[in-house]
Amino acid sequence: MGSDEIYYILRRRLLARQPAQAVIESVAEAYGNVLSDAVRSKTLERAAERIADEVAATYPFHPSLKTVVATFKDNESFRQTRGLMTIAALMITSVQKRKTNDVYLIGPQHLDLADRNIRDTINNIYDLDAAITVDILDTGASDAHAELIDADAGNDAAGLAARLILLASLAEASDAVKGLQPPDILSFLVAPLRSENDFVAALESLTARCWYLHKRDNGAWYFSKNENLTKKIENLARSAPQHKIEQDLARRLDEIFTTRRRAAYSRILSMPKIEEINTRGDRALIVLSPDAKIPPGKAQQLFNASHDRNNFAIVSGEGLDLASVEQKLRTAYAVARVLDQEGPASPNRPDLEQRAADAELDVYQTIASTLNKIWYPGRDGSGERLLGAALKLDNYRREAAAGYDGETAVEMALTATGSRKLILDIEAHFDMLAERAEEMLWPPSVRTTTWDDVKDRAISNVRWLWLPRGGLDELRRLAISRGRWRENGAGGLEKGPFPKEKTSVGVTEAAYDELTGRATINVLAKNAGRRGRIYWSASPDVSTSSARLDGLKFETREMRVHFLAIDPDGEHETGEPFCWTNRLNLTHDPRPIGTGHEVTLSVVPSGEIRWNTDATAPRDGKLYGGPIHLDGDRDIVIYAYAEASGVSVTREFKIPRREGDGVRIDLDRPARARKQVQLNTTDVVFAAIAKAKETRTRFRNVLVTVGSGSRNVSTSFGSDVDVTADAIERIAKLARTELGDENADVTVMWRFAASERAADLDQLMVTIGETLGPGEIEQE
């Protein structure tokens, strides 16, 4: 007997009173409207609308009954006619027993599995009693998965969906087409006066939580006698070692709150024991489990017991604890274990990878919702205590190792309007910070303290604001540079206001002529008001009766010049004179004479020269009175000493043995060239720069000029400053930029060049078309 004939018999028996055709049409119309709405909302595909067309043929049964029964009609123990009638009768009985009269069409989902007779009938077709008890209905404890899902949702959508899938899972043959795909499940369950979204949510929950629910390759879901991955995962989650879960939680918290900028904190302590926390050192961010107290009990305990109570913040929560986080961690741990056990070739791998991704998301979202508060030290009307600010861990990124950027969340919480504990821009808030530091970090009524005491008060006084790592040192630097604080030379730090500084003189060297010993210096009056005056003298008794300096530049060959700065307005007391000291340039000039050398020593600007060749103290050597004659048969070192007006200089001059004419130079040893070189064309300048970079040649007494006429920039370096080719190039580029002419002429002059190899120095000279004569190149 075919299914159509069976339905005819059922309809004839059930509809003996022949309900009005209008009733059937009304039900069909109602289903048509519901299904059309579901299609428009994209819950169902358009093909589902045909169910409404089949209602008239199957009323009062849902058209899905034929599809579901067809999955197990070939079971050896199932008698199609009698079996279908029995199932139909049991469905009708179940519907009549429902507390709510909400069934428009009777379907497999309405079977009352709490009825032992109905349950046994189903199990006789195919025994899935374990799946029923665990996943669908537990007549004893009422804690089957579908029952728990329905209890949470406040409807019976999960129970209906589970019963529908169960009836489609009764086929005995291993190769039977069993189960239902999600679109079919939803189209069979959608009914008038029922929200389609309830069934969508119920199906998602069932597939995530049931132990015996499996998924076929075609996407169909069915119940089996065997436990699924969910059960395996839950068992592993339950037995996961506690210490591994704690370690995993600490690792994830360290990743979430890892610090790169070190502005709000420099170290992280995740779930530490209170007695093991050291609050000294860098500022710490401590992550503690929330509890019922506000702030958490352990956080308050730490704050009360600590001397350095301004040196840590505590991340915790309000009204939650980490039990839910631990459960999510256990699930993530178990999924990872199963994924590893299944291996890369497992057919379950796509499902497990999705579960792993979802588990990771659950872990981080649960952490974010649980750790929703940061507690920081402060003071309010109640006194010193931990103050709370909302912590918003958001913008979860699945591809990021830590999921969330906890450091930014902490900074935002501590800089928010309600807290303002953290100041990121020290210079912009300098005045406020300096004033608060003078009030809070100095002892009362004391102007001088030590820097160590300031730092100690900064980590103990809860009123003091937080600065980025090194920020207190930056505040100190700014305060000293602006004259608000000063160091007293004995390790102390003094806060202002200070009496006005006495006048002083600042001197910088602009140029030095090694041939004459004439120095050009810039002289500046400091702390002398807008009309400061400078007086100078070659003797120490400089005064306002001495010569007055006109302009900033001063040229002299004197060995010592004394300067005095005066404030003519009398606002600054006159300070001590400043003594500037010139330098002595002691040189030698070896000339080949016969088979030997004649060496001339000279010193500028002036001075007495002594010398010897036996390495004894040169200052005790012979008084130089003219050229020194050397035989030239061996290398000789002349140890020379010059002194004038208490200024002295010592030099060693190596004179190689004669080998024919001229001086023998070792090309692989360091060498110095004392020769004024002037490069007057831009192409030669940059060729020299390139070669000097290559040979790492250094220069002294350098003058760089960019531009021409009145539009030029000149930069000079003193004779004690080693200047690299890179520095010359940077200055040329900067000057061209400032002149607004990228092609401005560049000229360079130097009087001294040195390289690690004489050969390199020679290559530089070849590049610029210069030669070095006797006495112009030196080697130790």
Side-chain angles (χ1 to χ4, degrees), residues 315-342:
V315 168
S316 190
E318 204 169 48
L320 300 169
D321 59 35
L322 290 179
S324 55
V325 175
E326 181 178 318
Q327 184 56 47
K328 301 295 183 183
L329 284 168
R330 288 180 173 275
T331 300
Y333 169 85
V335 172
R337 286 284 306 277
V338 174
L339 190 58
D340 184 60
Q341 293 170 2
E342 292 275 325

Side-chain angles (χ1 to χ4, degrees), residues 4 265 613-614 726:
D4 289 341
Y265 54 93
T613 58
D614 58 7
D726 285 318

Side-chain angles (χ1 to χ4, degrees), residues 292-309:
K293 297 181 180 180
I294 299 177
K298 288 185 177 180
Q300 191 63 52
Q301 176 187 344
L302 177 64
F303 182 77
N304 293 340
S306 176
H307 169 73
D308 312 307
R309 52 176 54 186

Side-chain angles (χ1 to χ4, degrees), residues 293-296 299-304 309-314 318 373-389 418 421 460-464 466:
K293 297 181 180 180
I294 299 177
Q300 191 63 52
Q301 176 187 344
L302 177 64
F303 182 77
N304 293 340
R309 52 176 54 186
N310 196 44
N311 204 32
F312 58 87
I314 295 172
E318 204 169 48
K373 200 87 169 180
I374 183 168
W375 304 92
Y376 61 92
R379 190 173 77 174
D380 59 11
S382 303
E384 294 186 355
R385 65 187 189 92
L386 288 173
L387 306 176
K421 179 68 174 177
S460 61
N461 188 336
V462 300
R463 295 176 58 209
W464 175 242
W466 284 355

Side-chain angles (χ1 to χ4, degrees), residues 142-155:
S142 297
D143 60 358
H145 291 119
E147 292 178 289
L148 296 175
I149 294 169
D150 283 342
D152 291 338
N155 57 49

